[in-house]
Amino acid sequence: VENYTIAVDAMGGDYGPCVTVPAVIKALADLPHVQIILVGNSNQITKILQKYHYNPCQLTIKHTTDVVMMNDLPAMALKYKTASSMRIAIDLVKTGQAEACVSAGNTGALLAISRYVLKTLPGIDRPAIIGSLFATAEQKNLQILDLGANVDMSAKNLYQFALMGSVLVSVVENITRPKVGLLNLDAVHPAANKIVQQTDALLASSTEINYCGLLTPQKIFSKDADLVVCDGFIGNIVLKVAEGSASYLQFLLKNNFKKYNWLTKITAILIDPLIQSVFKTISSDYCNGATLLGLQKIVVKSHGNAGVMGFTQAIKHATIQIEKKVLTQFAARLNNAP
Amino acid sequence: VENYTIAVDAMGGDYGPCVTVPAVIKALADLPHVQIILVGNSNQITKILQKYHYNPCQLTIKHTTDVVMMNDLPAMALKYKTASSMRIAIDLVKTGQAEACVSAGNTGALLAISRYVLKTLPGIDRPAIIGSLFATAEQKNLQILDLGANVDMSAKNLYQFALMGSVLVSVVENITRPKVGLLNLDAVHPAANKIVQQTDALLASSTEINYCGLLTPQKIFSKDADLVVCDGFIGNIVLKVAEGSASYLQFLLKNNFKKYNWLTKITAILIDPLIQSVFKTISSDYCNGATLLGLQKIVVKSHGNAGVMGFTQAIKHATIQIEKKVLTQFAARLNNAP
């Protein structure tokens, strides 16, 4: 295996270096051919590093004190936080010192800075975000795009993202011809929306994409598709409502089991690991790592609240994309596109 | 208690008279002061009625053979299905022969026909739909509007619906001053959307509404609010994704319990009723009956796939609104609105 380097924004996410540093150590142990540049406050980073054993040849620290905050406006972060850990990590990818960047920081800022610094692929105006919703029972993740904020995307753009997303799903999930579905709100009147109508036609005529047709929101979870395509506004709602209802149901289950008699209480104790295991499959610790699609380089976004296991997943997500040369595959597919 | 009459579209929904007729019998037994007119194919209706005991004074059949199909376009149903069970049931409300209409049929057609026949309240262009998402552990339902298809609603309209929704929630859920939240997609940048911004200002300045501020989609299920307000496009996605993820999680739970050793299998059998009870609270059989808000009369929409228990719930939902005189309360609130 070739050696390569990944730049990690050590300060991003809800927990910063407390999560990112142990996750990097864990990833490096599993991936001896990978080098990581930890970008962030070197005092904080080294303090945590001292607790771990690792191969020092695999790890570099790039010191910087500025940080993009979770509530920074993307445009402001782009303009003023040019010395932030997020920006420096992306710059390292631009200059070729790293092959990919991984960050758990502010999504809007990551999109804006990546787009500005790394540029988009020909014909694509803004990057989209592809990520997984719940993992299915067979451990295949359902992937959905766009989870970013691309409102008013053209049918051509949606089609391009479907092409790239298809490559990514086949690589990441190891599916030869992933089934691609197009989200449509209305089961009765297919494609009332004009963009959906046009995208549907483009996808249906494609030989590169294994298109399985329109999907209503109820059908997202039915495994009819490996990849669901929709615009960023809808994708965002889908993601957040799915997360919200899952944690609400977990709460309901726990509450119900507690409230009955001694038999149900004992059963609740017995069954708890099973319930945990089900809900673990849908947590950000299990399936984590969204990809900014349509950039000239690889940028992976970790869930802000991911723990060590989750952030390690996000790093590995980047390594798979580097090793399988997804960028070359994207370019080839886009060249063939209508 | 006063006597009054409800018109029931016997042919609507996935099961038609097989569900609506037994549900009507059940409702009448519980509500001796109510009369129901069953509108639909009298052959089919009487065949089912023969299996039940009921007080014939409470029940009338209005024969009609035409039916609005689930995939009829609303405009076509409005124009050509003037002798359908749905239309006749609504006409009965218009002419004062019934106080409310209950249907499990085509939502778009019900909206279009109700709007055309019954007219909207002053200042309101189209009716919205208010209904419950999951029932909470304490059996209070979380209500959400608009579940209809009102895209591009004005802030003023959203405010008017919030006023009426607030009345309805206080009546139906028996909450004195229901907490009203406004859905906002972005937790970081409050009210990026202009309509949300304006509605937020209107709600915040209202003395009639117990406004608790902006809610992100993840927070919908947190019980911070009794009523969540959003436009019909987003509301529709929220409803469908919540339904989809709930049934997906139920599937995951069942599958996981089956696959382990004999101990987990036994536990699974023991725990099954509890899981059922949790998922029952979120099924259309438990919390059913959405209301078309902003009309001059009462129209209740049952979930298309509701069973007998669910459709009975929808009928009772209509009776509460009649008895608590919600229409009078709506008018009073709207008169005071800015």
Side-chain angles (χ1 to χ4, degrees):
Chain A
V1 202
E2 248 177 296
N3 284 5
Y4 53 84
T5 305
I6 293 174
V8 169
D9 168 13
M11 313 308 286
D14 298 350
Y15 313 108
C18 302
V19 157
T20 58
V21 174
V24 162
I25 301 294
K26 207 168 173 328
L28 289 178
D30 295 345
L31 307 161
H33 59 290
V34 173
Q35 301 216 327
I36 288 182
I37 306 174
L38 269 167
V39 186
N41 187 309
S42 70
N43 281 343
Q44 291 182 39
I45 294 171
T46 43
K47 226 175 252 169
I48 299 168
L49 277 178
Q50 282 163 7
K51 296 183 213 159
Y52 296 92
H53 292 285
Y54 61 94
N55 177 355
C57 302
Q58 284 184 275
L59 195 70
T60 323
I61 299 171
K62 177 97 184 169
H63 175 68
T64 182
T65 51
D66 207 2
V67 174
V68 173
M69 308 305 285
M70 283 306 204
N71 58 357
D72 279 346
L73 284 168
M76 296 295 120
L78 175 60
K79 197 166 177 186
Y80 299 111
K81 302 252 171 134
T82 50
S84 63
S85 59
M86 182 188 282
R87 175 62 174 267
I88 304 284
I90 294 171
D91 284 342
L92 288 170
V93 177
K94 173 72 183 173
T95 57
Q97 292 167 269
E99 295 295 313
C101 163
V102 180
S103 174
N106 182 328
T107 310
L110 190 67
L111 278 165
I113 297 173
S114 302
R115 180 189 174 204
Y116 177 79
V117 174
L118 303 175
K119 310 298 178 208
T120 49
L121 291 167
I124 288 167
D125 185 36
R126 317 167 152 270
I129 298 183
I130 176 170
S132 56
L133 232 47
F134 307 155
T136 70
E138 284 88 43
Q139 319 299 11
K140 295 264 180 238
N141 293 328
L142 170 76
Q143 302 273 340
I144 181 165
L145 75 77
D146 170 36
L147 301 173
N150 278 312
V151 190
D152 304 325
M153 250 198 271
S154 71
K156 200 188 158 197
N157 272 168
L158 270 173
Y159 176 74
Q160 289 169 317
F161 286 130
L163 264 178
M164 290 186 277
S166 204
V167 169
L168 202 69
V169 171
S170 78
V171 163
V172 171
E173 302 292 335
N174 211 10
I175 303 169
T176 316
R177 276 176 64 76
K179 288 173 288 179
V180 177
L182 181 64
L183 191 60
N184 187 46
L185 286 187
D186 196 331
V188 182
H189 310 297
N193 175 311
K194 208 170 183 182
I195 301 288
V196 174
Q197 222 168 63
Q198 293 168 349
T199 313
D200 178 60
L202 280 175
L203 288 169
S205 66
S206 166
T207 52
E208 307 249 13
I209 289 177
N210 184 7
Y211 182 52
C212 64
L214 297 168
L215 278 181
T216 59
Q218 298 100 317
K219 285 273 175 178
I220 292 179
F221 309 99
S222 65
K223 296 195 211 171
D224 289 348
D226 302 304
L227 169 64
V228 175
V229 173
C230 60
D231 80 39
F233 180 76
I234 299 176
N236 240 304
I237 308 176
V238 169
L239 179 72
K240 288 169 178 172
V241 174
E243 283 180 3
S245 40
S247 61
Y248 178 64
L249 287 169
Q250 190 172 15
F251 160 83
L252 277 188
L253 281 166
K254 282 201 166 179
N255 249 36
N256 255 279
F257 289 164
K258 275 186 204 141
K259 90 185 160 194
Y260 296 95
N261 54 36
W262 62 268
L263 181 62
T264 65
K265 278 180 190 166
I266 292 172
T267 321
I269 292 164
L270 291 171
I271 210 82
D272 196 53
L274 291 177
I275 292 179
Q276 296 293 343
S277 81
V278 168
F279 282 93
K280 213 179 94 186
T281 63
I282 57 167
S283 82
S284 59
D285 255 357
Y286 187 86
C287 54
N288 185 36
T291 300
L292 272 57
L293 218 54
L295 292 170
Q296 298 195 8
K297 302 283 178 178
I298 297 165
V299 177
V300 168
K301 166 77 175 82
S302 160
H303 204 295
N305 72 11
V308 173
M309 194 177 139
F311 199 79
T312 310
Q313 287 289 330
I315 295 170
K316 292 188 175 172
H317 201 65
T319 66
I320 295 171
Q321 295 184 47
I322 296 168
E323 292 172 19
K324 301 276 173 133
K325 303 196 192 320
V326 289
L327 290 174
T328 319
Q329 293 192 52
F330 289 168
R333 294 280 188 111
L334 289 175
N335 272 340
N336 295 338
Chain B
V1 201
E2 247 178 295
N3 283 6
Y4 53 84
T5 304
I6 293 175
V8 169
D9 168 12
M11 313 308 284
D14 298 350
Y15 313 107
C18 301
V19 156
T20 57
V21 174
V24 162
I25 300 294
K26 208 167 171 327
L28 288 179
D30 295 345
L31 307 161
H33 58 290
V34 173
Q35 301 218 329
I36 288 181
I37 307 174
L38 269 167
V39 186
N41 187 309
S42 70
N43 280 344
Q44 290 181 40
I45 293 170
T46 43
K47 225 176 253 170
I48 300 168
L49 276 177
Q50 281 161 7
K51 297 182 213 159
Y52 296 91
H53 291 285
Y54 59 95
N55 177 356
C57 303
Q58 284 184 275
L59 196 69
T60 323
I61 299 171
K62 177 98 186 169
H63 176 68
T64 181
T65 52
D66 207 1
V67 174
V68 173
M69 307 305 284
M70 281 306 203
N71 57 358
D72 278 346
L73 283 168
M76 295 295 118
L78 174 61
K79 195 164 179 187
Y80 299 110
K81 301 250 169 134
T82 48
S84 63
S85 58
M86 183 188 283
R87 174 63 173 265
I88 304 283
I90 293 171
D91 285 343
L92 288 170
V93 177
K94 173 72 185 173
T95 56
Q97 291 166 271
E99 295 295 313
C101 162
V102 180
S103 174
N106 184 329
T107 310
L110 190 67
L111 277 166
I113 297 173
S114 300
R115 179 186 174 207
Y116 177 80
V117 174
L118 302 176
K119 310 297 178 209
T120 49
L121 292 167
I124 288 168
D125 184 35
R126 319 168 149 266
I129 298 182
I130 179 172
S132 56
L133 232 44
F134 308 155
T136 71
E138 284 88 42
Q139 319 298 13
K140 294 268 180 232
N141 294 328
L142 171 76
Q143 302 272 340
I144 183 167
L145 74 76
D146 169 38
L147 301 173
N150 278 313
V151 190
D152 304 322
M153 248 198 269
S154 71
K156 200 188 158 197
N157 272 169
L158 269 173
Y159 175 75
Q160 289 169 316
F161 286 130
L163 264 178
M164 289 186 278
S166 202
V167 169
L168 202 68
V169 171
S170 78
V171 162
V172 172
E173 302 292 335
N174 211 9
I175 302 170
T176 315
R177 273 177 68 76
K179 288 173 289 179
V180 177
L182 182 63
L183 192 60
N184 187 47
L185 287 188
D186 197 330
V188 182
H189 309 297
N193 175 311
K194 209 170 180 182
I195 301 289
V196 174
Q197 223 168 61
Q198 294 168 347
T199 314
D200 178 60
L202 279 176
L203 288 169
S205 67
S206 166
T207 52
E208 306 250 13
I209 289 178
N210 183 8
Y211 182 52
C212 62
L214 297 167
L215 277 182
T216 59
Q218 297 100 319
K219 286 274 175 176
I220 291 178
F221 309 99
S222 65
K223 296 193 208 168
D224 290 347
D226 303 305
L227 168 65
V228 175
V229 173
C230 60
D231 81 39
F233 180 76
I234 299 177
N236 240 303
I237 307 176
V238 169
L239 179 72
K240 287 169 180 170
V241 173
E243 283 181 2
S245 41
S247 61
Y248 177 64
L249 287 169
Q250 189 171 17
F251 161 81
L252 277 188
L253 281 167
K254 281 201 168 179
N255 250 35
N256 253 279
F257 289 162
K258 273 186 207 143
K259 86 185 160 192
Y260 296 95
N261 55 36
W262 63 268
L263 181 62
T264 65
K265 279 180 188 164
I266 291 172
T267 320
I269 293 165
L270 290 172
I271 210 80
D272 196 54
L274 290 177
I275 292 180
Q276 296 292 344
S277 82
V278 168
F279 282 93
K280 212 178 94 184
T281 62
I282 58 168
S283 81
S284 59
D285 255 358
Y286 187 84
C287 54
N288 186 35
T291 300
L292 273 56
L293 216 54
L295 292 170
Q296 297 195 10
K297 301 282 179 180
I298 296 166
V299 177
V300 168
K301 166 76 175 82
S302 161
H303 204 296
N305 71 10
V308 173
M309 195 177 136
F311 199 79
T312 310
Q313 286 290 329
I315 295 170
K316 290 187 177 174
H317 201 64
T319 65
I320 294 171
Q321 294 184 48
I322 296 168
E323 291 172 19
K324 301 279 172 130
K325 304 196 192 319
V326 289
L327 290 174
T328 318
Q329 292 193 51
F330 289 168
R333 294 280 189 114
L334 289 174
N335 272 340
N336 294 338

